Amino acid sequence: MSLLGIPFDENSSYLRGAAQAPPRIVEALFCDSSNLWTENGTDLQGRVRDAGSLALPSDTPAAFGAIEREVAGQLRQDARLILLGGDHSITYPVVKAFAAKFPDLEILHFDAHPDLYDQLGGNRFSHACPFARVMEEKLARRLIQVGVRTMNRHQREQAQRFGVEVLEMKDLGSWPALNFQGPVYLSFDIDVLDPAFVPGISHWEPGGLSVREVVNLLHSLRARLVGADVVEYNPARDQSGRTAMVCAKVVKEIAAGLLGR
Ligand code: MN
Ligand code: MN
């Protein structure tokens, strides 16, 4: 199991800083304040490797090309990967690489935002757009979004157009079980959590999930996980380092799911 950093935040629409996240999450994961056992009894000691971070140009098309090539190369070696963002724009080139290996890919997406804008501020690669690109190019057979609480008319139309299943925060309590048929890529935007738990994010969107609810949802997954990302952690807003520990906790529980595939 490898953790690969993708330190890229050129497509953040509001605040930069997510590019600084990967080493901070790794540091929190291996911090002596906790151990490497997951709640369900998987010992990650010696099974999770820090693969460092990619060196990327600031130009988006060039960076996306490099990300797709690097991830594809890792997948050819059958690596089990968790990508550490970076802003959410990185998920588009990452999913391109996964879709080439897994044609029947399904995506489970945790986020306060649907990230389905056709463009934002004229940028079609914005971190508000990756799932519009993924669905247009039919890179996933199914997209389920969990924790959304920022739908507007345009994004609701986009969700309908692409057949996206959206489990909105307001309907928590009547969400269906998270069951999947095919291989699943999990894209985890840390801002799905309530900002009370994760101040170190660019977009504080109140009314989100608790850490406990997220961990329970991850444990409830019935899916063959083949890869994942954890994105949008912004260390510039995380004075106490608390958000890094939450990211590390999420990475741990996802890693256990990947190792059990
Ligand atoms: Mn997002
Ligand atoms: Mn978000």
Side-chain angles (χ1 to χ4, degrees):
M1 247 281 329
S2 295
L3 304 177
L4 179 62
I6 308 198
F8 195 73
D9 62 7
E10 295 284 336
N11 293 300
S12 295
S13 58
Y14 180 57
L15 296 174
R16 302 285 294 271
Q20 312 304 318
R24 301 288 297 276
I25 298 174
V26 170
E27 181 187 21
L29 179 66
F30 295 108
C31 172
D32 288 337
S33 81
S34 189
N35 63 46
L36 281 166
W37 285 75
T38 67
E39 291 191 7
N40 280 344
T42 301
D43 183 6
L44 298 176
Q45 186 68 51
R47 302 180 75 189
V48 176
R49 184 178 74 96
D50 173 18
S53 288
L54 299 183
L56 295 168
S58 60
D59 172 66
T60 291
F64 279 13
I67 292 166
E68 184 184 348
R69 274 194 306 279
E70 187 64 34
V71 171
Q74 298 269 344
L75 291 179
R76 272 195 295 278
Q77 298 162 42
D78 208 27
R80 299 178 191 211
L81 280 181
I82 299 179
L83 294 315
L84 305 178
D87 71 36
H88 217 156
S89 71
I90 63 111
T91 297
Y92 169 48
V94 169
V95 164
K96 268 190 176 176
F98 273 87
K101 176 162 180 170
F102 303 101
D104 51 348
L105 193 67
E106 301 181 30
I107 297 179
L108 172 60
H109 168 205
F110 284 79
D111 206 324
H113 314 93
D115 293 353
L116 286 168
Y117 278 99
D118 180 59
Q119 52 84 21
L120 194 71
N123 181 8
R124 288 172 59 80
F125 296 125
S126 166
H127 71 159
C129 305
F131 295 96
R133 302 291 86 80
V134 163
M135 298 310 278
E136 280 167 359
E137 295 184 23
K138 299 189 174 14
L139 300 177
R141 211 181 52 179
R142 186 178 177 209
L143 172 60
I144 297 190
Q145 301 184 321
V146 176
V148 171
R149 51 193 185 275
T150 56
M151 273 289 190
N152 59 13
R153 185 179 297 120
H154 168 65
Q155 295 209 87
R156 209 172 281 287
E157 285 167 1
Q158 290 280 83
Q160 277 166 8
R161 173 181 161 210
F162 297 126
V164 181
E165 300 158 63
V166 187
L167 308 187
E168 292 183 62
M169 211 54 233
K170 67 182 175 61
D171 302 321
L172 177 71
S174 58
W175 290 353
L178 297 174
N179 295 331
F180 295 84
Q181 305 292 318
V184 172
Y185 182 85
L186 171 57
S187 186
F188 195 100
D189 183 331
I190 203 78
D191 73 25
V192 73
L193 286 147
D194 193 276
F197 297 92
V198 289
I201 54 175
S202 297
H203 300 261
W204 288 335
E205 195 61 49
L209 292 168
S210 68
V211 176
R212 188 67 258 155
E213 285 165 336
V214 160
V215 172
N216 288 353
L217 282 165
L218 292 174
H219 289 166
S220 77
L221 269 187
R222 293 294 167 265
R224 181 169 72 95
L225 276 189
V226 294
D229 61 53
V230 175
V231 297
E232 295 285 343
Y233 168 47
N234 186 343
R237 290 190 123 184
D238 191 27
Q239 264 76 32
S240 66
R242 180 163 31 128
T243 307
M245 292 307 292
V246 175
C247 293
K249 172 92 178 176
V250 169
V251 165
K252 272 172 73 171
E253 298 300 330
I254 291 174
L258 270 171
L259 287 166
R261 80 182 180 189

